Amino acid sequence: MQIQQALPEEAATVAAVLNEAAQWIAAEGRPLWSAADVALERIQRDTDAGGYFIARRNSDVAGVVRLDLEDPYFWPEIESGSSLYVHKLAVRRAWSGQGVPVQLLDFALARARELGRPFLRLDCVADRAPLRALYERFGFSLHSVIHKGERAFARYELAVKPLGN
């Protein structure tokens, strides 16, 4: 699996993966992202800024993830420059069960290490037990549960060990 930064002209590809995941989750009665969250304009902005990464095997797109240097919405109390934040991790249904989320998280962890960020952090809707279990198996620890509007979000963190430790 190769994971590379999405190019600006690949925003539609990123949006397609996110929309496929959003539709699958919504069809199961568990809507997650709003149409605005996965709209091409927003994805284009984040792709132009270098935030999205695409996982591929050969030329087949398996999944995407957005990595942010700051997250003042979900982590306002965290010191600037101390973390890398994982957002919008999504896997195409054709790649389900093939370990793509773990490979994307491995990539995010390596990226945090390269950037000298001592923590990798993420959030998810608190009632997503399978997703939370994935993060916990990967090594994330529950930091806290916060409320934004009507929803509860579980915040997770993982200490990034420097190479050689």
Side-chain angles (χ1 to χ4, degrees):
M1 185 81 45
Q2 296 211 340
I3 302 173
Q4 296 175 317
Q5 193 167 40
L7 301 173
E9 59 269 22
E10 295 177 307
T13 299
V14 172
V17 174
L18 293 171
N19 277 284
E20 179 184 328
Q23 289 170 9
W24 172 71
I25 293 167
E28 292 201 341
R30 305 175 299 138
L32 179 61
W33 299 319
S34 71
D37 289 336
V38 293
L40 182 56
E41 301 91 35
R42 180 159 183 184
I43 304 308
Q44 185 71 62
R45 184 190 71 222
D46 292 336
T47 304
D48 289 349
Y52 274 103
F53 294 82
I54 300 175
R56 290 183 174 93
R57 178 152 300 133
N58 300 317
S59 62
D60 194 19
V61 174
V64 300
V65 67
R66 192 180 84 218
L67 301 178
D68 294 325
L69 297 176
E70 305 297 333
D71 184 354
Y73 183 75
F74 282 105
W75 298 88
E77 78 283 12
I78 299 300
E79 180 184 346
S80 180
S82 68
S83 303
L84 184 65
Y85 300 89
V86 175
H87 289 286
K88 298 287 189 294
L89 192 153
V91 176
R92 289 187 51 227
R93 300 312 314 140
W95 285 88
S96 177
Q98 297 184 48
V100 177
V102 169
Q103 291 178 65
L104 287 165
L105 290 171
D106 278 336
F107 176 82
L109 183 58
R111 184 96 169 141
R113 190 174 289 119
E114 288 169 16
L115 294 170
R117 301 285 172 128
F119 288 95
L120 185 61
R121 290 190 161 99
L122 55 80
D123 64 86
C124 67
V125 178
D127 68 1
R128 308 282 175 168
L131 188 56
R132 291 181 66 173
L134 167 74
Y135 295 145
E136 291 167 8
R137 281 192 307 274
F138 188 84
F140 282 91
S141 298
L142 180 65
H143 176 279
S144 56
V145 175
I146 62 168
H147 289 73
K148 296 282 185 180
E150 303 269 323
R151 293 181 118 168
F153 293 87
R155 300 191 311 170
Y156 282 91
E157 66 182 8
L158 178 65
V160 176
K161 296 181 175 91
L163 286 176
N165 290 346

